[in-house]
Amino acid sequence: MPDGAIGGYLKGRVLAVQEFSELLVDALRVAFSPPRYLTDLLYQTDAIGFGSLPIVLLTGFSMGSVLALQTYRTLQNFGEVGLLGQAVSVSFVRELGPVLTGLMVVARNSSSIASELGSMLVSEQVDAMRALGTSPMRKLVAPRLYATLISLPLLTILCDFLGLLGGSIVSVYTAHLSAEQYWTSAYQALDSSDVFQGLIKPVFFAPVISVVGCYCGLHTSGGTEGVGRSTTQAVVVASVLILVLDFFITKFLIGIKFA
């Protein structure tokens, strides 16, 4: 690739990061001034939160069951099957619950947000909205951002619970532990820092999920073909950012804990 092409590509990536940051800041800023579209917020909360509930619950339950099965095989070799509840609860609440929930919501909602806004842009509905004096930032971006901020922590809590529930079923019927043993071990293994770590991550993941989808949708070009590209780009970029953010948040919180 020629040096000029590399430079142009890098400038384009830097510009994209700048535009994304401006979009996020503007979306957060409009919450503090009218007009506020509460109907749109409620609609998006229902679409993003309740709409994602089945896939999040199914993912949490299945992954909790699989985690318990794999952990049981390892603990059985050391004669420590009684620690199964502890292993599942710490792993799920700290890491698996937030990340799995984030990725499932990305798959379902970042794609739909990018597709919806991209279609509106291509069909000139966004331009018509501006012509009528309505801010697309307030009408389209902000409700989706705040709906995701509201929904994602709640979905994470439900995913954690279903993961622990799946682990408890495996512990009772496969590891032959009593339900009381499992839940007592799971509860005693968690402290406030574990819960905080598991619930702070969705707060950072939510803007990524919603604003990446909005950014890709509002920067769609190339007609209906471009809508498909924007949808794919939104899912890929948001998923990668969640994984990268998860690493740095975990590293930061562990550094604080042991500082």
Side-chain angles (χ1 to χ4, degrees), residues 6-113:
I6 295 175
Y9 174 79
L10 293 177
K11 287 179 183 178
R13 296 305 94 193
V14 172
L15 179 62
V17 171
Q18 179 183 343
E19 291 174 342
F20 174 81
S21 302
E22 290 176 353
L23 185 67
L24 176 58
V25 171
D26 288 343
L28 291 170
R29 177 181 52 80
V30 298
F32 301 99
S33 61
R36 300 180 180 89
Y37 296 94
L38 296 180
T39 303
D40 292 307
L41 174 61
L42 293 175
Y43 174 79
Q44 293 299 329
T45 302
D46 175 70
I48 294 172
F50 188 76
S52 301
L53 191 59
I55 186 65
V56 168
L57 296 183
L58 178 61
T59 301
F61 183 82
S62 61
M63 290 306 298
S65 304
V66 171
L67 177 63
L69 280 172
Q70 296 289 356
T71 306
Y72 165 65
R73 292 182 60 190
T74 302
L75 293 177
Q76 191 178 34
N77 294 331
F78 298 98
E80 295 290 349
V81 178
L83 298 177
L84 186 58
Q86 176 180 338
V88 173
S89 65
V90 172
S91 300
F92 226 91
V93 171
R94 282 184 187 173
E95 233 13 89
L96 285 177
V99 173
L100 288 173
T101 302
L103 292 176
M104 290 300 104
V105 175
V106 162
R108 187 187 183 278
N109 294 293
S110 286
S111 56
S112 64
I113 290 172

Side-chain angles (χ1 to χ4, degrees), residues 1 8 18 30 52 94 112 115 127 145 173 205 224 227 234 256:
M1 183 181 292
Q18 179 183 343
V30 298
S52 301
R94 282 184 187 173
S112 64
S115 175
D127 293 334
L145 171 60
Y173 292 101
F205 293 166
T224 54
V227 174
I256 291 177

Side-chain angles (χ1 to χ4, degrees), residues 5-247:
I6 295 175
Y9 174 79
L10 293 177
K11 287 179 183 178
R13 296 305 94 193
V14 172
L15 179 62
V17 171
Q18 179 183 343
E19 291 174 342
F20 174 81
S21 302
E22 290 176 353
L23 185 67
L24 176 58
V25 171
D26 288 343
L28 291 170
R29 177 181 52 80
V30 298
F32 301 99
S33 61
R36 300 180 180 89
Y37 296 94
L38 296 180
T39 303
D40 292 307
L41 174 61
L42 293 175
Y43 174 79
Q44 293 299 329
T45 302
D46 175 70
I48 294 172
F50 188 76
S52 301
L53 191 59
I55 186 65
V56 168
L57 296 183
L58 178 61
T59 301
F61 183 82
S62 61
M63 290 306 298
S65 304
V66 171
L67 177 63
L69 280 172
Q70 296 289 356
T71 306
Y72 165 65
R73 292 182 60 190
T74 302
L75 293 177
Q76 191 178 34
N77 294 331
F78 298 98
E80 295 290 349
V81 178
L83 298 177
L84 186 58
Q86 176 180 338
V88 173
S89 65
V90 172
S91 300
F92 226 91
V93 171
R94 282 184 187 173
E95 233 13 89
L96 285 177
V99 173
L100 288 173
T101 302
L103 292 176
M104 290 300 104
V105 175
V106 162
R108 187 187 183 278
N109 294 293
S110 286
S111 56
S112 64
I113 290 172
S115 175
E116 183 179 0
L117 297 191
S119 298
M120 293 178 68
L121 187 71
V122 168
S123 60
E124 299 182 349
Q125 293 181 53
V126 175
D127 293 334
M129 191 178 293
R130 290 194 181 99
L132 292 172
T134 302
S135 169
M137 181 65 63
R138 294 180 182 276
K139 181 72 173 176
L140 301 176
V141 180
R144 287 166 172 82
L145 171 60
Y146 292 109
T148 313
L149 280 168
I150 293 169
S151 303
L152 196 61
L154 299 176
L155 289 171
T156 300
I157 292 172
L158 293 173
C159 182
D160 290 342
F161 176 74
L162 265 291
L164 292 174
L165 182 62
S168 71
I169 293 174
V170 170
S171 70
V172 170
Y173 292 101
T174 301
H176 305 296
L177 296 174
S178 67
E180 182 180 358
Q181 282 179 292
Y182 173 85
W183 287 106
T184 300
S185 173
Y187 173 76
Q188 292 177 346
L190 296 173
D191 56 31
S192 57
S193 65
D194 298 322
V195 177
F196 175 78
Q197 180 174 331
L199 292 181
I200 197 64
K201 289 179 180 180
V203 176
F204 288 93
F205 293 166
V208 170
I209 294 169
S210 54
V211 179
V212 166
C214 292
Y215 174 83
C216 292
L218 292 174
H219 287 76
T220 298
S221 60
T224 54
E225 215 174 283
V227 174
R229 287 195 300 269
S230 296
T231 302
T232 303
Q233 185 181 27
V235 174
V236 172
V237 172
S239 299
V240 171
L241 286 178
I242 281 180
L243 296 175
V244 172
L245 265 178
D246 178 61
F247 171 79

